[in-house]
């Protein structure tokens, strides 16, 4: 695709500078990530491990022959997990790692016996870490709290224990080294290396690298790294006062701005300066005493328990970002689906209104005999036809109102509205309904000045709907009460019946569109639209709507509107 565009004379030969930079950044990111899939990755890893082994032995030994910081295992675990392709690859990779470790041990001056021992024990640790990570953290996703905890616990905490125990026992037999000091130095040093360096290696994903490719973001990252280096040197090298907590706010800043990759990078710097300062006999850890192993142990504990939890904070923030993005995408899909549904409802309502009007006109003419003589039976059928058509017409009007309300096309004109007057009008209109025959309808006004800020036409539509439901579903109680009262800084309207009431389960579903609460096959007419439409109309007027009901004791539907 790129070559064809370049050869097309109708296309510009040179890409715009912004596009070129973006393409260059993408290539750089892909190159960084693709390293883990290159055939030479095991060879480069073995060479890196060799160098780290020499550095660890030369500069980080504290408890006899054991180093307080061991980065070789962290690099090996990260690359092995990122580049694994099968059993044959694993065997070749393990062989190269063993060669690199053995060569480093020999170059650092260890005897053949010690080199063989340490090579075997290190390979046991690395292999155990890889197996446990694949078993308990197969996604290797540090961008979730669960994934980060699983990896750190399995690969960093548990995997070094068998190797530490074997090394401690062997060195005790060889030169009488303290088993406890050797074990704890090995365990903490190797756990620190895997936790910090492997986390950094696993966080080098395309998503994280793309996040910092923008020049401004890269400049911000450079400034924060410079600040962290200055703080670490001041705290762990220059100062002898226990102020290691000063590093925590900087790490939190990395978590907030750059999430997992930022914290993993910062932890590498903190670990090197903290343990390095202790190994040089400088920094706040001199308070642990003259023993170098105790000073290094204090530095290890500070990083493991004081700084590593910030990585989980970054994982939590990144997980929250991902869930937020999913929620936004779901909201967009839901809004599009709602718009499509509203358009469908509007189209269906428009298509229904015209033919239904014709059916009603023909039915009226037929019923009155204007189309010719009719029998009594034909007149009843014509009346039934008109009644049914009017129900369909009412449904089309409700559908159209519902579609308009959901799309925001319904406009309300808020004016001071006399609520008792509206209730009296609704009461009189309700008395004309056939279902209201034999019912008592009362209006109760509690107090004066019951004036709400509302659209009188839409409010009347809402109260009529509530009154219709009270008559249809609660008419068995023989009484419907319309009540108006003051509440806080508004006016409360209630339509109360003495019917069978509603269970809590039905109340929770009451305002859902097209939900008739299991009465679809009952003799009571309805479509399940009225209450959903009433809720939307009330909300458009700045009010709220709800219901208070107890099974067997009737129901009270209420509307609260702001006072004028």
């Amino acid at each position: 695709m790129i070559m064809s565009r370049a050869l097309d004379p109708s296309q510009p030969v040179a890409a715009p500078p912004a596009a070129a930079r973006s393409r260059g950044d993408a290539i750089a990111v892909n190159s960084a990530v693709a390293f883990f899939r290159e055939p030479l990755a095991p060879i480069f890893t073995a060479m890196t491990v060799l160098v780290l082994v020499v550095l660890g032995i030369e500069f980080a030994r504290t408890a006899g022959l054991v180093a307080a910081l061991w980065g070789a295992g962290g690099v090996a675990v990260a690359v092995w997990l990122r580049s694994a392709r099968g059993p044959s690859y694993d065997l070749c990779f393990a062989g190269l790692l063993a060669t690199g470790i053995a060569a480093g041990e020999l170059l650092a001056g260890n005897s053949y016996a010690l080199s063989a021992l340490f090579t075997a024990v290190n390979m046991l640790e690395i292999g155990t870490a890889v197996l446990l990570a694949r078993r308990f953290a197969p996604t290797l996703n540090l961008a979730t709290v669960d994934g980060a905890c699983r990896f750190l616990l399995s690969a960093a905490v548990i995997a070094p224990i068998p190797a530490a125990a074997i090394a401690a026992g062997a060195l005790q037999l060889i030169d009488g080294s303290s088993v406890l000091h050797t074990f704890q130095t090995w365990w903490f040093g190797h756990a620190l290396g895997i936790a910090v360096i492997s986390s950094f290696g696993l966080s080098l994903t395309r998503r994280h690298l793309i996040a910092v490719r923008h020049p401004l973001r890269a400049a911000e990252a450079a400034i924060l790294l410079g600040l962290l280096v200055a703080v670490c040197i001041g705290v762990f090298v220059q100062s002898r006062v226990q102020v290691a907590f000063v590093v925590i706010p900087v790490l939190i800043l990395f978590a907030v701005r750059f999430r997992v990759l930022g914290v993993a990078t910062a932890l590498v710097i903190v670990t090197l300066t903290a343990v390095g300062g202790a190994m040089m006999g400088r920094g706040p850890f001199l308070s642990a005493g003259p023993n170098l192993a105790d000073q290094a142990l204090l530095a290890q504990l500070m990083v493991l328990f004081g700084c590593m939890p910030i990585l989980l904070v970054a994982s939590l923030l990144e997980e929250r970002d991902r869930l937020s993005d999913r929620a936004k995408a779901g909201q967009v899909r839901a809004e599009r689906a709602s718009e499509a549904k509203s358009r469908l409802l509007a189209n269906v309502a428009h298509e229904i209104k015209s033919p239904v009007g014709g059916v009603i006109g023909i039915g009226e003419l037929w019923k009155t005999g204007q189309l010719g003589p009719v029998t009594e039976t034909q007149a009843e059928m014509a009346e039934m036809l008109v009644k049914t058509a009017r129900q369909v017409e009412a449904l089309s009007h409700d559908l159209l109102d519902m579609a308009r309300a959901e799309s925001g096309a319904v406009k309300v004109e808020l004016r001071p509205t006399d609520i008792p007057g509206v209730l009296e009008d609704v009461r009189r209109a309700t008395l004309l309904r056939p279902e209201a025959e034999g019912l008592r309808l009362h209006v109760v006004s509690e107090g004066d000045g019951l004036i709400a800020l509302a659209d009188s036409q839409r409010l009347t539509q809402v109260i009529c709907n509530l009154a219709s439901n009270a008559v249809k579903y609660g008419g068995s109680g023989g009484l419907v009460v319309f009540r108006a009262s003051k509440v806080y800084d508004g006016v409360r309207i209630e339509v109360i019946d003495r019917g069978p009431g509603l269970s809590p389960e039905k109340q929770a579903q009451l305002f859902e569109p097209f939900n008739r609460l299991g009465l679809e096959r009952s003799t009571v007419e309805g479509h399940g639209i009225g209450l959903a439409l009433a809720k939307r109309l009330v909300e458009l007027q700045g009010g709220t709507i709800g219901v208070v009901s107890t099974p067997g004791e009737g129901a009270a539907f209420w509307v609260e509107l702001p006072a004028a």
Side-chain angles (χ1 to χ4, degrees):
M1 292 293 292
I2 297 175
M3 291 179 62
S4 63
R5 289 183 60 189
L7 295 175
D8 188 353
S10 64
Q11 300 291 335
V13 176
R21 286 197 302 269
S22 177
R23 186 180 306 166
D25 292 339
I27 292 174
V29 169
N30 292 335
S31 299
V33 176
F35 165 77
F36 296 102
R37 296 190 292 269
E38 291 295 330
L40 295 179
I43 298 176
F44 286 118
T45 305
M47 295 174 62
T48 303
V49 166
L50 184 152
V51 174
L52 291 176
V53 167
V54 175
L55 292 176
I57 294 174
E58 291 293 333
F59 299 103
R61 276 181 172 173
T62 58
L65 299 174
V66 180
L69 178 60
W70 194 254
V75 172
V77 170
V79 180
W80 196 341
L81 289 173
R82 291 287 299 274
S83 62
R85 296 189 182 91
S88 299
Y89 181 90
D90 288 343
L91 289 175
C92 295
F93 195 91
L96 286 172
L97 287 180
T99 302
I101 294 173
E105 296 283 347
L106 292 173
L107 289 175
N110 283 335
S111 63
Y112 289 106
L114 283 177
S115 297
L117 170 65
F118 285 138
T119 299
V121 176
N122 273 284
M123 287 306 301
L124 171 65
E125 176 182 283
I126 294 170
T128 303
V130 170
L131 291 176
L132 291 178
R134 289 177 177 175
R135 173 63 180 84
F136 296 104
T139 61
L140 302 177
N141 185 11
L142 301 185
T144 66
V145 177
D146 181 69
C149 288
R150 284 172 174 268
F151 173 77
L152 292 176
L153 183 63
S154 59
V157 176
I158 298 177
I161 293 178
I166 294 174
L171 291 179
Q172 201 276 334
L173 294 176
I174 293 174
D175 59 5
S177 300
S178 171
V179 174
L180 178 60
H181 280 171
T182 303
F183 178 85
Q184 69 182 16
T185 303
W186 182 293
W187 186 17
F188 289 136
H190 288 238
L192 190 60
I194 295 176
V196 173
I197 298 179
S198 293
S199 296
F200 173 73
L202 294 179
S203 65
L204 286 173
T205 62
R206 181 176 287 104
R207 183 179 70 256
H208 292 112
L209 292 174
I210 288 176
V212 295
R213 71 181 182 182
H214 192 276
L216 292 179
R217 293 284 287 174
E220 181 184 5
I223 292 173
L224 283 180
L225 287 174
L227 173 64
L228 179 65
V229 170
V231 170
C232 288
I233 292 176
V235 170
F236 300 121
V237 179
Q238 301 297 330
S239 174
R240 293 196 176 188
V241 182
Q242 290 287 356
V243 290
F245 61 87
V246 175
V247 178
I248 303 300
V250 184
L251 291 177
I252 293 177
L253 189 59
F254 270 95
V256 171
R257 298 301 300 160
F258 296 99
R259 301 298 191 257
V260 172
L261 178 59
V263 175
T265 305
L267 285 173
V268 173
I269 297 174
V270 172
T271 303
L272 291 176
T273 52
V275 178
M279 298 305 302
M280 292 187 296
R282 305 181 67 176
F285 305 112
L286 293 176
S287 59
N291 190 341
L292 186 60
D294 294 335
Q295 298 174 18
L297 178 62
L298 194 60
Q300 293 170 340
L301 293 176
M302 188 280 301
V303 176
L304 285 173
F305 298 105
C307 299
M308 283 303 299
I310 307 299
L311 182 66
L312 301 182
V313 175
S315 300
L316 179 62
L317 292 175
E318 195 152 337
E319 189 172 7
R320 185 207 62 178
D321 292 342
R322 187 172 60 258
L323 294 176
S324 177
D325 292 340
R326 290 181 182 177
K328 290 178 181 178
Q331 182 180 2
V332 171
R333 289 194 298 268
E335 289 175 352
R336 290 176 179 172
S338 179
E339 291 174 1
K341 181 198 68 176
S342 298
R343 289 195 298 268
L344 176 62
L345 290 178
N347 292 335
V348 170
H350 280 296
E351 293 297 328
I352 289 176
K353 287 177 65 177
S354 297
V356 165
V359 171
I360 292 174
I362 295 173
E364 292 285 357
L365 294 174
W366 182 21
K367 182 177 65 174
T368 58
Q370 299 182 46
L371 298 181
V374 293
T375 64
E376 183 179 351
T377 302
Q378 290 174 336
E380 291 179 356
M381 293 179 63
E383 184 176 358
M384 184 180 300
L385 174 66
V386 172
K387 181 180 178 182
T388 303
R390 291 198 183 280
Q391 291 175 358
V392 176
E393 185 182 39
L395 173 61
S396 67
H397 283 294
D398 287 343
L399 287 173
L400 190 57
D401 284 341
M402 189 72 181
R404 288 173 176 172
E406 290 188 345
S407 63
V410 174
K411 304 300 180 182
V412 294
E413 297 182 6
L414 302 180
R415 299 175 180 175
T417 303
D418 180 41
I419 299 303
V422 172
L423 296 183
E424 181 61 28
D425 292 340
V426 174
R427 185 190 73 85
R428 292 176 180 177
T430 306
L431 282 173
L432 300 178
R433 298 177 63 90
E435 302 94 337
E437 184 177 357
L439 291 179
R440 292 173 295 145
L441 280 70
H442 296 319
V443 175
V444 178
S445 299
E446 299 180 350
D448 299 325
L450 298 173
I451 308 297
L453 193 64
D455 185 313
S456 58
Q457 180 183 356
R458 294 300 182 182
L459 180 59
T460 300
Q461 183 180 356
V462 170
I463 304 303
C464 281
N465 183 278
L466 299 181
S468 174
N469 286 343
V471 169
K472 288 190 297 185
Y473 300 106
S476 59
L479 175 66
V480 175
V481 177
F482 301 88
R483 176 186 295 166
S485 60
K486 288 186 176 180
V487 54
Y488 305 113
D489 58 346
V491 178
R492 183 182 180 95
I493 304 167
E494 293 177 281
V495 179
I496 307 168
D497 65 66
R498 297 291 184 266
L502 296 164
S503 65
E505 293 77 12
K506 290 185 177 180
Q507 292 179 41
Q509 308 170 28
L510 200 56
F511 296 97
E512 295 177 359
F514 308 103
N515 190 342
R516 294 201 60 206
L517 307 180
L519 298 177
E520 292 81 359
R521 299 183 180 181
S522 68
T523 57
V524 181
E525 299 174 358
H527 306 286
I529 301 176
L531 287 178
L533 177 59
K535 183 176 186 294
R536 184 58 179 156
L537 293 177
V538 169
E539 291 173 347
L540 288 174
Q541 298 175 72
T544 55
I545 186 172
V547 63
V548 177
S549 180
T550 301
E553 299 181 10
F557 285 83
W558 56 266
V559 174
E560 291 184 1
L561 295 169

